[in-house]
């Protein structure tokens, strides 16, 4: 049986460890509690399509998709600003389009380093076999300027995955995240940046059909030298300071995920000059690669064949955006 002295030393060590952990977590929390922000840009139905550019190249993720120009997307009814909202849809009438299903990928004309990005979204592409939607930011010379994936999932997913991608040298920790958030990989350059470092989440109503069923909500992403933090608030629980235009991150409690900077990842060395992106692709490197191991496989032998033959399935694969606001210190 251990002596009382040993037990006392063990207890002292435990208390010191607990104190150190509390100090570390306090440092994590203070990173977003201390920030004061001012509104610098608002993107909404009045200026959205003049503030974003349409990407028309081939899909870097090898999806079964044909990204349309602004004029082509408009003429096909893939975009509009009806009812004071921004609509970004996909083709849901053409059977077996030879170049891939028509969709849009748009990037903000302005790039950012640091800030608080608040996206009020009423609808995102639903939990549909073959679909791969994302709301994200990335910089030039990928992955050297980093990538921040705020909303992302594939096929029938009901929860969000949040991921960072960087050049070599950034390893992340997620201390101070909500319970239910699981770090899948800490190396943000995993697979030369293609896999990156990300988390799975269990946050209710934050993705796909469940998100749409409650009228959506607000995603807030804070990016500072100390780290990158993401919150989600369902439609009926959006903080008053967000609604009033005076966000105070310290009022919001734990983020879904805290990607903490520090000695293993100097955030400012890996993330800079990033543009805001929305897109919807199909199949490709993620949705297509997991097709055979998902329940979607019962619908067709391949992701591409299903997406090609079933246009009507993708009528709900659209974004409805109320606004994206960017705040900086």
């Amino acid at each position: 049986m251990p002596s009382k002295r040993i037990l006392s030393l063990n207890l002292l060590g435990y208390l010191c460890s607990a104190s150190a952990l509390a100090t570390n977590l306090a440092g994590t929390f203070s990173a977003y509690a201390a920030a004061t922000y001012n509104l610098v840009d608002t993107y909404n139905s009045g200026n959205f399509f003049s503030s974003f550019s349409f990407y028309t190249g081939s899909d870097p993720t090898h999806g079964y998709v044909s990204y349309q120009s602004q004029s082509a997307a408009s003429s096909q009814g893939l975009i509009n600003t009806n009812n004071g909202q921004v609509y970004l849809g996909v083709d849901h009438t053409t059977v077996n389009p030879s170049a891939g299903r028509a969709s849009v990928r748009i990037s903000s004309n302005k790039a950012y380093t640091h800030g608080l990005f608040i996206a009020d979204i009423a609808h995102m592409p639903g939990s549909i076999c073959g679909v791969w939607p994302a709301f994200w930011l990335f910089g030039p010379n990928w992955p050297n300027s980093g990538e921040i994936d705020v909303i992302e999932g594939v096929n029938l997913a009901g929860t969000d995955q949040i991921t960072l991608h960087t050049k070599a040298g950034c390893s992340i920790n997620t201390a101070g995240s909500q319970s239910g958030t699981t770090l899948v990989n800490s190396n943000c350059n995993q697979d030369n940046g293609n896999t990156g470092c990300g988390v799975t989440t269990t946050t209710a109503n934050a993705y796909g059909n469940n998100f749409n069923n409650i009228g959506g909500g607000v995603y807030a992403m804070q990016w500072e030298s100390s780290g990158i933090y993401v919150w989600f608030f369902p439609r009926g629980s959006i903080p008053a300071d967000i609604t009033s235009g005076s966000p105070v991150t310290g009022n919001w409690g734990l983020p879904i995920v805290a990607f903490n900077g520090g000695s293993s990842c100097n955030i400012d060395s890996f993330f800079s000059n990033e543009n805001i992106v929305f897109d919807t692709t199909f199949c490709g490197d993620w949705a297509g690669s997991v097709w055979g191991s998902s329940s979607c496989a019962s619908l067709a032998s391949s992701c591409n064949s299903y997406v090609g033959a079933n246009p009507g399935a993708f009528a709900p694969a659209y974004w409805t955006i109320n606004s994206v606001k960017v705040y900086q210190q």
Side-chain angles (χ1 to χ4, degrees):
M1 183 176 184
S3 70
K4 291 182 179 179
R5 180 174 182 275
I6 291 175
L7 288 173
S8 296
L9 289 174
N10 287 343
L11 178 58
L12 179 60
Y14 171 80
L15 292 174
C16 288
S17 297
S19 176
L21 176 61
T23 299
N24 289 338
L25 290 179
T28 298
F29 299 159
S30 67
Y32 55 81
T36 300
Y37 285 98
N38 299 302
L39 181 65
V40 294
D41 290 301
T42 298
Y43 302 110
N44 56 28
S45 62
N47 67 349
F48 199 90
F49 292 125
S50 62
S51 302
F52 281 72
S53 296
F54 284 69
Y55 173 81
T56 56
S58 60
D59 182 10
T61 62
H62 310 105
Y64 178 62
V65 67
S66 176
Y67 287 127
Q68 302 294 298
S69 67
Q70 182 171 353
S71 59
S74 180
S75 66
Q76 295 173 67
L78 304 186
I79 60 171
N80 65 56
T81 54
N82 295 339
N83 303 314
Q85 298 174 310
V86 177
Y87 172 89
L88 307 173
V90 304
D91 167 49
H92 53 88
T93 60
T94 307
V95 177
N96 294 323
S98 59
R101 190 155 300 286
S103 181
V104 294
R105 169 176 161 168
I106 58 170
S107 300
S108 63
N109 296 331
K110 185 173 178 179
Y112 300 90
T113 298
H114 295 176
L116 178 62
F117 302 79
I118 298 182
D120 185 329
I121 301 169
H123 188 282
M124 70 172 69
S127 305
I128 307 166
C129 288
V131 170
W132 178 0
F135 163 54
W136 50 299
L137 296 86
F138 84 112
N141 195 20
W142 187 94
N144 290 334
S145 300
E147 175 180 329
I148 305 168
D149 300 330
V150 180
I151 301 174
E152 191 174 27
V154 296
N155 298 329
L156 300 175
T159 53
D160 189 25
Q161 293 199 27
I162 307 172
T163 308
L164 305 180
H165 304 260
T166 69
K167 61 187 178 183
C170 174
S171 181
I172 211 74
N173 78 79
T174 55
S177 301
Q178 290 180 13
S179 62
T181 294
T182 302
L183 180 63
V184 177
N185 183 24
S186 62
N187 176 14
C188 300
N189 185 244
Q190 182 70 32
D191 298 325
N192 295 316
N194 287 295
T195 298
C197 59
V199 299
T200 58
T201 69
T202 56
T203 308
N205 302 322
Y207 183 84
N209 290 347
N210 294 334
F211 176 94
N212 298 332
N213 289 340
I214 62 164
V218 163
Y219 268 90
M221 186 274 286
Q222 184 188 30
W223 162 19
E224 298 299 345
S225 299
S226 59
I228 294 167
Y229 316 92
V230 177
W231 291 262
F232 169 69
F233 305 105
R235 179 63 56 200
S237 303
I238 299 169
D241 55 36
I242 290 180
T243 304
S244 69
S246 302
V248 181
T249 56
N251 293 341
W252 301 344
L254 294 179
I256 295 177
V257 60
F259 291 116
N260 303 301
S263 59
S264 62
C265 187
N266 182 333
I267 295 295
D268 290 345
S269 296
F270 294 92
F271 298 90
S272 62
N273 299 315
E274 298 196 357
N275 302 86
I276 302 166
V277 183
F278 285 91
D279 76 77
T280 306
T281 188
F282 304 93
C283 304
D285 294 340
W286 187 6
S289 68
V290 300
W291 182 268
S293 60
S294 73
S295 58
C296 295
S298 64
L299 300 176
S301 59
S302 74
C303 184
N304 283 16
S305 62
Y306 178 75
V307 172
N310 296 276
F314 306 103
Y318 64 88
W319 297 92
T320 304
I321 303 162
N322 292 325
S323 66
V324 178
K325 296 183 179 181
V326 183
Y327 297 79
Q328 292 182 320
Q329 297 187 63

